[in-house]
Amino acid sequence: MEELFADLCQVPRLVAPRRGFRPRVDVYRSAEPPILTIVVELAGIDPSEVELAVADGMLVVRGKRRRDAAQGRTYQHMEIDYGPFERRIALDEPVDSEAADASYERGLLTIRLPVTKRAVGPVHVTVTREGA
C-alpha cells in the first residue's frame, strides 16, 4: 500500500511538488546465520549524515541529499530529488540492534540486523514476596 501511494506522488498533476525524496528499499532474510538485511538506495549522499535507529519493531533511516550550490546554473530538466528523507521499515522479527552493522558502497547502504530467537513455549516466572 505504501508503494502505491508513493508511486502516485510521482505523477506531477496529481500532487503539489514535494520536498525531499523517498529512497527505494529491499529487505531480505538469510537463514544461516539468521540475518535481516536492508538495502537502501542512497546515491549521492554522504553516509556520515545518515541516521539509523531501531525502536518498537521499526528501522528508521533518515538523512538529507544536498544539492551543490553552483552559481549561474539554469536547469533545463530536473529529475533528481533532493532534500530530507525518512524511511520506516517494519521488522517482522526481533533483532539484536546492538550487533547491527552497516556499510555504504556504490550508492547502496546495506544494514545487517541479526535475528534473535523468540522464546519457545511458555515462559515461567517465579514471583517472590519482598521481605519474606
Side-chain angles (χ1 to χ4, degrees):
M1 193 63 123
E2 186 177 322
E3 289 179 28
L4 173 65
F5 286 110
D7 290 342
L8 283 175
C9 290
Q10 298 294 326
V11 180
R13 282 172 275 186
L14 294 180
V15 294
R18 58 194 173 110
R19 297 185 57 149
F21 71 105
R22 188 172 187 275
R24 295 178 183 266
V25 174
D26 284 345
V27 179
Y28 60 91
R29 184 190 194 281
S30 61
E32 284 302 320
I35 294 176
L36 200 57
T37 301
I38 299 92
V39 181
V40 186
E41 190 177 56
L42 294 178
I45 294 178
D46 181 354
S48 67
E49 293 186 13
V50 176
E51 294 177 40
L52 301 174
V54 176
D56 299 325
M58 292 281 227
L59 169 68
V60 179
V61 182
R62 87 172 47 101
K64 186 174 186 177
R65 181 185 285 158
R66 300 181 189 283
R67 183 179 320 206
D68 292 337
Q71 299 297 327
R73 187 182 287 175
T74 303
Y75 285 94
Q76 295 180 9
H77 185 81
M78 190 174 187
E79 290 185 4
I80 299 172
D81 292 327
Y82 292 91
F85 67 88
E86 180 175 295
R87 287 299 309 263
R88 294 179 176 267
I89 298 109
L91 304 173
D92 295 336
E93 300 180 77
V95 296
D96 181 0
S97 58
E98 291 183 15
D101 71 274
S103 60
Y104 184 86
E105 184 178 351
R106 298 185 345 231
L108 298 174
L109 175 66
T110 303
I111 305 146
R112 286 167 294 282
L113 299 165
V115 175
T116 61
K117 296 185 187 267
R118 294 181 186 187
V120 179
V123 176
H124 297 283
V125 178
T126 304
V127 179
T128 58
R129 179 182 241 168
E130 289 195 31

